[in-house]
Amino acid sequence: RCSACGNDFYYFNSYETFELDLAYCASNNNNNYPLTISTCLQIQSNKTQKSFCESCQTYYPMNIFNKIYYSPSYFVFSLNREGNPNLLNIPFLLENYIDIDPFLEYKQSYKKYEIHAIVSFSRNENKYVCFGQSPVDKQWYLYNDEKVDIININNVLNFHNNNNAYVPCILLYKSSG
């Protein structure tokens, strides 16, 4: 909604990727909760930013309302750090399970999502790596260039949440219900 003329504009993203703006979430985290998917979805559900108004033909502050209209089988979350290396230091806690029900515009049958893959930046190696759960044996693996290691999901979460060795960038969740 344009703050100057009051017109409403609707843009629909048909992709199953939801971008979480970590800079915005961190600066608007009034409760000082650790940033998670849930806290970022809550913060981003109603934000104000400068956008182009098609009616006024200029940039004005607009109220942006983010809604999720349906719950897909897979959900990809992109943690946007805008290419700013300082934003790598924003703590972000990974959750094994998430609930998007509070953020759905149209309630469906309750679905919980379980983490299935993580693309992360390895601070120690200065490169990107991938953690993923195999659909065949349900085992978690660390894919690191030519090397693949079996890893426990609790270790994956610990590496990201406690010692800052890995910075999550892209998270893939699969519906578990």
Side-chain angles (χ1 to χ4, degrees):
R1 176 171 293 152
C2 177
S3 62
C5 68
N7 280 340
D8 289 332
F9 302 94
Y10 299 93
Y11 300 98
F12 293 96
N13 179 350
S14 61
Y15 302 110
E16 293 172 356
T17 301
F18 198 96
E19 183 177 290
L20 301 175
D21 183 346
L22 292 189
Y24 182 85
C25 291
S27 65
N28 290 282
N29 187 8
N30 299 332
N31 296 323
N32 293 318
Y33 294 129
L35 287 183
T36 63
I37 289 173
S38 299
T39 57
C40 285
L41 287 173
Q42 183 65 42
I43 291 167
Q44 283 187 205
S45 65
N46 184 6
K47 69 180 186 177
T48 301
Q49 70 183 36
K50 233 177 189 184
S51 294
F52 185 76
C53 176
E54 294 173 5
S55 181
C56 298
Q57 293 296 304
T58 191
Y59 285 89
Y60 281 108
M62 292 199 183
N63 295 323
I64 310 294
F65 303 99
N66 287 309
K67 301 287 184 187
I68 301 171
Y69 280 91
Y70 73 98
S71 50
S73 298
Y74 290 90
F75 223 123
V76 178
F77 292 93
S78 171
L79 306 181
N80 182 353
R81 292 185 174 84
E82 301 172 348
N84 183 342
N86 294 329
L87 295 178
L88 290 173
N89 297 322
I90 294 175
F92 189 90
L93 296 179
L94 294 182
E95 303 158 285
N96 200 357
Y97 293 95
I98 60 168
D99 175 12
I100 65 160
D101 196 55
F103 310 104
L104 284 173
E105 179 70 12
Y106 300 106
K107 303 300 182 204
Q108 300 169 337
S109 60
Y110 177 77
K111 281 192 179 180
K112 194 181 244 188
Y113 288 82
E114 182 178 13
I115 197 160
H116 273 264
I118 307 160
V119 175
S120 299
F121 179 74
S122 171
R123 290 179 186 266
N124 299 338
E125 300 174 89
N126 200 30
K127 65 179 180 179
Y128 290 93
V129 297
C130 180
F131 298 88
Q133 184 182 40
S134 167
V136 176
D137 64 8
K138 306 298 184 209
Q139 178 64 49
W140 275 83
Y141 293 90
L142 167 58
Y143 301 91
N144 186 350
D145 292 337
E146 68 280 344
K147 188 171 135 183
V148 177
D149 293 314
I150 294 175
I151 191 163
N152 180 292
I153 181 59
N154 293 324
N155 289 343
V156 173
L157 296 174
N158 186 47
F159 289 158
H160 287 86
N161 294 343
N162 296 323
N163 69 9
N164 291 324
Y166 295 96
V167 179
C169 299
I170 299 171
L171 310 171
L172 171 70
Y173 282 82
K174 180 182 178 193
S175 173
S176 60

